[in-house]
Amino acid sequence: METNRMEQMEALETMAQFNDRLLHNLPTIIDELSGGRKADTDAYLKNIVEVIGWEISVMNAVSDLLAESGTPRMDKERFNQCVLALNTALASGEDAKTADALRGLIPHFETLAAAAKEVLA
């Protein structure tokens, strides 16, 4: 049992580092999708979407630890709606919709960051 907790803590720590970078990069990709498109925007977006998917996987794996934090809990239903909105926007291929969907995810990843930091403190 203790080994599982240690592995969860390591995963949470790694996710927290990725989450900091994700929160740093989201405004950049949102700007690019809002009219400042660059040659590598599609590749950049693909990488960000992969990180989002990976973070969701880790978040699910460490949900017990996150539940221990004293920070506000993530609204899973609203978070899932935002993820579905991102999937729909990506499928549409419309940059503006994708930017809006990513913008909607920022508060959820900020909540995740706060919860992770609380648990890791």
Side-chain angles (χ1 to χ4, degrees):
M1 183 85 161
E2 187 60 33
T3 302
N4 185 42
R5 184 173 174 81
M6 286 177 33
E7 289 172 354
Q8 286 182 328
M9 289 294 280
E10 288 174 16
L12 185 61
E13 186 173 348
T14 302
M15 187 204 60
Q17 293 168 357
F18 272 87
N19 195 55
D20 285 343
R21 285 185 238 147
L22 176 64
L23 286 169
H24 176 77
N25 288 320
L26 281 172
T28 303
I29 191 65
I30 290 167
D31 286 345
E32 288 185 23
L33 294 170
S34 299
R37 202 169 236 292
K38 297 181 179 173
D40 67 344
T41 296
D42 289 330
Y44 190 35
L45 176 61
K46 181 180 183 289
N47 288 336
I48 287 175
V49 169
E50 287 173 358
V51 169
I52 288 171
W54 179 81
E55 283 197 31
I56 291 169
S57 301
V58 174
M59 182 179 66
N60 289 331
V62 300
S63 60
D64 295 348
L65 289 178
L66 293 172
E68 296 174 7
S69 78
T71 60
R73 303 283 189 263
M74 184 175 287
D75 181 345
K76 288 184 182 182
E77 185 174 323
R78 182 68 188 127
F79 179 72
N80 288 336
Q81 290 172 353
C82 289
V83 170
L84 289 174
L86 176 60
N87 287 337
T88 300
L90 289 167
S92 78
E94 295 182 40
D95 286 353
K97 286 183 180 180
T98 302
D100 286 342
L102 289 169
R103 198 173 288 113
L105 281 168
I106 291 174
H108 299 286
F109 283 107
E110 289 172 338
T111 300
L112 178 59
K117 287 176 183 160
E118 179 75 23
V119 171
L120 293 168

